[in-house]
Amino acid sequence: MTTFDDRQRAFEAKFSRDEEMAFRVIARRNKLVGQWAAEKMKLTPEETEAYARAVVHADFEEAGDEDVVRKVVGDLTAAGIEIDDSTVRTVIGEKKVEARRQLMAES
C-alpha cells in the first residue's frame, strides 16, 4: 500500500500545483487586461494600477470570463471608446498567453 499512497500523494500535490498555477495565470491575465484597458482610457500610472486590481477583483463575481468582459467593455464604453465583446475576448486570449509566459519565466 505504500507505493499506492505515495502515488496518490504525488497526484494530489501535482493537482494542487496545477490549480494554483491556473489561478495565478488567470489573475495575471486579468491584470494585463486591466492595464491594456487603462492604457486605452489614458489613465495615470496610479489609476492604471488601481484599475488593473479592480479587473482582477471583478473576476471573482461569477465563474468564467463574462464578468471581466462586462466590466472592461462597460468601462471603455463609458470612457467614450467604441469596443465590442469580441475584441475584449481576443485581448483576453492574448493576455492569457502573455501571462503564462511571464509566470513560466519567473519559475
Side-chain angles (χ1 to χ4, degrees), residues 20-93:
E20 179 184 348
M21 180 57 93
F23 176 82
R24 291 176 64 207
V25 166
I26 297 300
R28 176 75 59 99
R29 176 204 71 184
N30 291 340
K31 180 178 179 181
L32 294 171
V33 169
Q35 291 170 341
W36 169 83
E39 183 180 321
K40 293 268 185 214
M41 293 185 281
K42 298 181 182 356
L43 300 181
T44 67
E46 295 81 21
E47 292 170 330
T48 296
E49 278 305 308
Y51 185 75
R53 277 193 304 275
V55 172
V56 170
H57 290 297
D59 192 32
F60 298 122
E61 292 175 13
E62 62 186 54
D65 297 335
E66 291 305 310
D67 40 7
V68 173
V69 172
R70 194 170 37 251
K71 174 167 184 47
V72 172
V73 169
D75 293 344
L76 287 170
T77 302
I81 299 165
E82 280 193 41
I83 195 136
D84 58 8
D85 290 8
S86 65
T87 302
V88 173
R89 289 180 201 289
T90 299
V91 170
I92 285 174

